[in-house]
Amino acid sequence: QVQLVESGGGLVQAGGSLRLSCAASGRTSSSYTMGWFRQAPGKERSFVAAINWSGGSTSYADSVKGRFTIARDNAKNTVYLQMNNLKPEDTAVYYCAGGRGRFPLEVRTGYDYWGQGTQVTVSS
């Protein structure tokens, strides 16, 4: 019922910036908590950032604090991930996700809808 489509991935040099977008369609709700996850080769999917329904509360993985910023525009049904000072260790497929429930959601089970992912590659 809910479709999430990520865009904005690509190849960037270390220290550069990239902004990912996640467009939601279908039976969406602005009350959903939205999050970003990533999965690097040979690793499990990990939490990156989350934002509550109003955008007033955010949460970040320690590895991206101070570098990444999550934001949302409910009028456009879109959530963003601004990634600054990118490092090679940030290379991964990035997934957008949404879920119902009180913020913050359980990162392992709280997200119900997932996009197909967008590749981010950071070269050294």
Side-chain angles (χ1 to χ4, degrees), residues 50-52 55-60 70-71 103:
I51 188 167
N52 78 331
S57 296
T58 58
S59 179
Y60 297 93
I70 188 171
F103 182 91

Side-chain angles (χ1 to χ4, degrees), residues 111-124:
Y111 292 85
D112 304 309
Y113 309 103
W114 295 84
Q116 294 299 307
T118 185
Q119 177 70 48
V120 172
T121 302
V122 184
S123 65
S124 60

Side-chain angles (χ1 to χ4, degrees), residues 37-40 44-46 48 63-64 68 89-90 92-94:
F37 295 75
R38 65 187 182 185
Q39 186 169 20
E44 295 294 321
R45 183 180 62 199
S46 62
V48 175
S63 59
V64 306
F68 290 11
E89 294 75 27
D90 296 317
V93 177
Y94 283 71

